[in-house]
Amino acid sequence: MLWVELPRKIDSLLLYQQALEHGITIGPGYMFSVSNRFPNFIRLNYSSEWTHEVEQAVITIGKIATSAMH
């Protein structure tokens, strides 16, 4: 598990929805607070063998997050 703080400009729920369009699931920070804290945090979970597909998914999340900055 990896808890990632993104720039404040990025809404993790929007990032979650955009990642889903690519078949990628992440945990938006909102899920981990009863008071809507952590809007710019995501949780990444992975417990299987590291593959090229997993690496590409992480790269895709980074690209989506980068585009959200503009």
Side-chain angles (χ1 to χ4, degrees):
M1 178 183 67
L2 184 63
W3 183 243
V4 181
E5 180 178 8
L6 301 167
R8 290 190 186 274
K9 196 174 189 179
I10 297 178
D11 182 336
S12 63
L13 189 55
L14 232 100
L15 183 63
Y16 164 78
Q17 293 167 341
Q18 292 172 335
L20 271 181
E21 293 174 9
H22 295 273
I24 302 167
T25 305
I26 60 173
Y30 295 101
M31 290 175 56
F32 307 100
S33 169
V34 295
S35 61
N36 287 329
R37 292 181 57 203
F38 312 119
N40 60 310
F41 285 76
I42 61 172
R43 188 172 91 175
L44 302 176
N45 296 322
Y46 194 73
S47 61
S48 299
E49 181 180 343
W50 186 263
T51 64
H52 177 72
E53 290 78 16
V54 173
E55 184 172 339
Q56 291 305 306
V58 173
I59 290 169
T60 299
I61 292 168
K63 287 178 180 178
I64 296 168
T66 299
S67 70
M69 292 294 298
H70 302 288

